[in-house]
Amino acid sequence: DSLLQEILSQLITMGQLRSLALLSRVPTRMLATTMHYRSQHTIPQSSLPSHAQVVIAGAGMIGNSVAYHLVQRGWSDIVIIDKGCVADGTSKYGSGMLGLFRPQHERKIVQYCIDLYQSLQEQGYDLGLEHCGSVNLAASQDRLISLQRRASGYRPTGVECHLVGPKEIRDLHPHVNTDDILGGVWIPKDACVNAGKVSEVLAYLASEGGAKFVSGCGVKKVLTKKSSNSFTDPTMHHLSKNVKVTGVDTDIGHISCDYFVNTAGIWAREIGRMMDTPVRIPICPAEHFFMTFKPTPELENNKLPNVRDYDSQMYVRQFGSSYMMGAFETHARPWDVTKHGIDPDWNQIKEEHWIHFEPYIRAAMHRLPILKETQYDFLLNTPDAFTPDGRWILGETPEVGNYFVCAGMNGNSLQGAGGVGKAVADWIVKGYPPGDMLQFEVQRFTSLHNNSRFLSERAKEVVGKHY
């Protein structure tokens, strides 16, 4: 207790400390409601049918995207099941940041997401999309050289990015403290969007196209059958395997299907084991934190770019008339999925969470001194699915035919949701990967990568590798 008080005394007032004492005992989900995600559309609920062409497990951001893109390709016999509610997973509480400063194979997917969200917004769906741009900072010489090299490599592939000095950074974002900044990169086409609204709109449009959503329906077992009919097409892609999906046993009954898509986020690996022929889905669940602040008068009628401070492992973005900050911690906290619903305190913000996140709060206040005078709103913990190599997991599993995976979004489901959903939908419809998916294919992993102890240890370090 004395350590916590010593840490926090440098950050907040006594009034805030009293609030913090109460806040630490409030369940995470109760905190999340203060983000004011308003339902735009009613998504009709269905009973579980006896058969569907495609069953998708997980009605979060990614599952809704896969369903939406299947509907866009003319498929309508789709059922999306979720043990919770539609568009109510942790993915809707993401940072909302869309960054293009990345390798070409990833950037194409992110650019498609921005284009899709822009198109939907132009059709009248309020997604809160803003082309705010981003400033990526370097507080060390090594980091500056790294950013310069990346900029030189990305520009020829189509990224608009500009090297900027401390004065230009202050011009772009007047609240940034540049006293210890050597330089940075300005990416003007980066964007932000409301993650909750995107998830909801994708689900709504999928339901309008015929997809059925069944809430309160968890997976108990994915059923398969063996077949002797295995062949390849001229491009050498396997169109069927000796073991194929036949259906799903759920909490509320059985449904047969031709395709099964696992978009269950942090539970994807567990569902992959719920079958006679288990599939490998190496997911490293880890806690992932965001902190929001009370409204700041200086942000009224103002649009400022996102700030990524790589050397401090944290970012800050404008969130309406306030700020949101988050971090990719150097030493992350693994998330034990077995505690969900069993440990009575599994979804509560505790003192240990504040102690863990304190260095990053301090870093945010150093980088944006205005936050020192701004009262915090709340701390939110949204466990997410990271992967051993930091890349998304997509595609058909090598063990079971017609079993597809779309998981491991590494702390920002929104950033890849539209693109990975389109890729998996095209993969199902066409029967082979759409373009260069080699970097993301689930088949890149071996059984060693799916070891529980390895994944738990890897979760501690892989989160920070993203920064």
Side-chain angles (χ1 to χ4, degrees), residues 350-389:
K350 306 172 187 176
E351 291 182 0
E352 62 192 65
H353 294 132
W354 288 97
I355 294 173
H356 169 78
F357 205 59
E358 181 274 333
Y360 306 99
I361 300 173
R362 189 189 299 276
M365 292 181 172
H366 168 72
R367 189 56 59 213
L368 272 73
I370 192 173
L371 297 180
K372 295 178 181 179
E373 310 302 324
T374 306
Q375 189 178 30
Y376 71 88
D377 193 0
F378 64 86
L379 177 66
L380 179 64
N381 181 11
T382 60
D384 210 335
F386 292 82
T387 61
D389 59 1

Side-chain angles (χ1 to χ4, degrees), residues 58-97:
M61 180 87 67
I62 305 303
N64 297 342
S65 177
V66 174
Y68 165 80
H69 285 93
L70 284 172
V71 165
Q72 293 295 304
R73 279 143 190 77
W75 289 33
S76 60
D77 190 12
I78 304 162
V79 172
I80 304 93
I81 62 176
D82 197 294
K83 63 182 178 182
C85 298
V86 178
D88 196 34
T90 57
S91 59
K92 78 173 185 178
Y93 301 119
S95 67
M97 295 166 63

Side-chain angles (χ1 to χ4, degrees), residues 40-193:
Q40 293 180 310
H41 310 281
T42 300
I43 301 165
Q45 296 297 300
S46 303
S47 58
L48 186 69
S50 60
H51 176 80
Q53 188 175 12
V54 182
V55 171
I56 300 173
M61 180 87 67
I62 305 303
N64 297 342
S65 177
V66 174
Y68 165 80
H69 285 93
L70 284 172
V71 165
Q72 293 295 304
R73 279 143 190 77
W75 289 33
S76 60
D77 190 12
I78 304 162
V79 172
I80 304 93
I81 62 176
D82 197 294
K83 63 182 178 182
C85 298
V86 178
D88 196 34
T90 57
S91 59
K92 78 173 185 178
Y93 301 119
S95 67
M97 295 166 63
L98 298 160
L100 296 168
F101 194 64
R102 57 186 63 246
Q104 187 174 16
H105 60 277
E106 294 181 12
R107 188 174 68 254
K108 286 181 179 179
I109 290 178
V110 178
Q111 184 62 63
Y112 172 80
C113 291
I114 295 176
D115 294 342
L116 172 64
Y117 306 153
Q118 180 70 51
S119 174
L120 292 176
Q121 186 153 288
E122 290 173 355
Q123 294 174 39
Y125 299 101
D126 177 20
L127 302 182
L129 179 67
E130 296 179 353
H131 296 276
C132 55
S134 295
V135 181
N136 298 344
L137 306 178
S140 66
Q141 188 64 34
D142 287 344
R143 181 70 66 178
L144 182 61
I145 293 173
S146 174
L147 290 179
Q148 291 171 339
R149 288 174 174 171
R150 290 173 63 186
S152 297
Y154 294 164
R155 278 201 205 97
T157 64
V159 179
E160 182 183 355
C161 56
H162 309 276
L163 296 174
V164 290
K167 181 181 182 304
E168 294 166 295
I169 293 171
R170 287 194 300 273
D171 293 339
L172 291 167
H173 199 307
H175 296 163
V176 173
N177 171 21
T178 60
D179 290 348
D180 57 345
I181 293 298
L182 301 181
V185 176
W186 162 239
I187 307 98
K189 294 185 178 180
D190 277 6
C192 277
V193 71

